[in-house]
């Protein structure tokens, strides 16, 4: 198609996530397989790489902005802009879930954190009793020093008995078919309680001057 030398790209193709050291494809494809295509960076300088008409430019590219150019009957055409992001990631997906406490009473605030280590970009989903009603606030802290970790914090304000159940986070690797999930069980009671268990009978007798210990287990 001389009026559209480059195959239109979808937005998902224009943002390219690449793990450190891995090759990738900048998917600018032409409608004419014989077209001469040039790849340029954000400074408009040519970038040398292998070109495959069915895929695009293949190579190890630094992070940044890239664009393809071609000529049709003396007229220059430019492709969409492609943005490459270099991410730190391991093939494994170490995940930990933490809860300050697992027993709450009505009205308290539930706080659960899910921590993903050594991976800069993951897809993380929470499953918990109040999710259907969209009860809960999720915050992300991206910590890079002294090591890479993503800390997802789920906060449930004004907890009720209905918030009792499994709190599960599932992390999926951004570039590989790897996922990991962890869960913790949270219990919410209608009110606080103390359970006393005396280790003696309702009626006890002692001799004069005898020392007697009365033991009570408190939970």
């Amino acid at each position: 198609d001389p009026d559209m030398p480059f195959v239109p790209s979808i937005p998902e193709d224009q943002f390219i996530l690449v793990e450190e050291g891995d090759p990738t494809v900048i998917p600018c494809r032409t409608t004419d397989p014989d077209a001469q295509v040039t790849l340029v960076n954000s400074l408009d300088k040519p970038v040398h790489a292998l070109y495959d008409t069915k895929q695009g430019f293949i190579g190890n590219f630094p992070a940044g902005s890239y664009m393809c150019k071609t000529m049709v009957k003396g007229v220059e055409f430019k492709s969409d802009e492609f943005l490459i992001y270099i991410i730190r990631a391991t093939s494994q997906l170490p995940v930990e879930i933490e809860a300050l406490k697992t027993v709450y009473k009505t009205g308290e605030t539930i706080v659960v954190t899910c921590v993903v280590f050594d991976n800069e970009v993951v897809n993380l989903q929470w499953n918990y009793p109040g999710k259907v009603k969209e009860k809960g606030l999720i915050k992300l802290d991206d910590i890079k020093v002294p090591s890479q970790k993503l800390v997802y914090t789920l906060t449930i304000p004004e907890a009720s008995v209905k918030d009792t159940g499994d709190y599960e986070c599932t992390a999926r690797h951004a570039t590989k078919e790897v996922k990991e999930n962890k869960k913790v069980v949270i219990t919410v009671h209608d009110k606080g309680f103390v359970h006393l268990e005396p280790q003696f009978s309702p009626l006890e007798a002692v001799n004069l001057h005898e020392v007697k210990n009365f033991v009570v287990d408190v939970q």
Side-chain angles (χ1 to χ4, degrees):
D1 182 352
D3 296 323
M4 189 171 288
F6 288 104
V7 177
S9 58
I10 59 175
E12 289 82 356
D13 287 340
Q14 294 173 242
F15 296 91
I16 305 167
L17 295 177
V18 190
E19 289 183 30
E20 283 179 320
D22 283 359
T24 189
V25 175
I26 297 176
C28 54
R29 296 173 295 125
T30 55
T31 57
D32 177 3
D34 297 322
Q36 297 299 308
V37 187
T38 304
L39 178 67
V40 296
N41 60 20
S42 57
L43 301 175
D44 206 33
K45 292 184 178 180
V47 177
H48 299 288
L50 174 68
Y51 185 69
D52 183 317
T53 56
K54 294 182 180 180
Q55 296 185 65
F57 284 98
I58 304 169
N60 290 81
F61 304 104
S65 169
Y66 295 86
M67 189 178 289
C68 301
K69 294 181 179 181
T70 189
M71 299 286 290
V72 178
K73 296 180 181 179
V75 179
E76 183 181 74
F77 287 84
K78 297 179 179 179
S79 72
D80 293 322
E81 181 184 34
F82 297 91
L83 298 171
I84 291 182
Y85 296 91
I86 306 296
I87 60 171
R88 244 187 303 173
T90 59
S91 57
Q92 302 300 315
L93 202 55
V95 178
E96 287 184 6
I97 194 167
E98 301 169 355
L100 295 176
K101 58 181 185 176
T102 55
V103 177
Y104 292 83
K105 60 182 180 181
T106 297
E108 290 187 323
T109 299
I110 298 173
V111 179
V112 182
T113 59
C114 192
V115 185
V116 182
F117 298 91
D118 302 326
N119 284 269
E120 204 168 11
V121 180
V122 298
N123 297 314
L124 188 130
Q125 289 184 329
W126 286 97
N127 278 306
Y128 55 97
K131 184 176 180 180
V132 176
K133 295 184 178 179
E134 298 183 353
K135 184 178 182 181
L137 305 170
I138 298 171
K139 185 183 77 167
L140 168 62
D141 291 309
D142 187 353
I143 300 171
K144 300 186 182 299
V145 178
S147 60
Q148 173 66 46
K149 63 180 179 180
L150 298 172
V151 181
Y152 296 84
T153 304
L154 172 65
T155 304
I156 311 289
E158 295 293 324
S160 70
V161 175
K162 292 181 179 179
D163 292 309
T164 294
D166 293 344
Y167 285 70
E168 183 179 60
C169 66
T170 302
R172 287 180 171 79
H173 203 289
T175 58
K176 294 182 173 66
E177 291 298 320
V178 178
K179 74 173 183 177
E180 186 71 35
N181 69 295
K182 292 290 174 77
K183 75 174 182 178
V184 63
V185 179
I186 300 288
T187 304
V188 182
H189 293 282
D190 187 37
K191 56 187 177 181
F193 64 89
V194 175
H195 178 66
L196 301 179
E197 192 173 327
Q199 304 294 313
F200 49 87
S201 303
L203 177 64
E204 292 280 351
V206 294
N207 296 321
L208 187 64
H209 304 306
E210 179 186 354
V211 176
K212 181 115 179 178
N213 289 324
F214 295 90
V215 179
V216 180
D217 283 342
V218 182
Q219 297 181 8

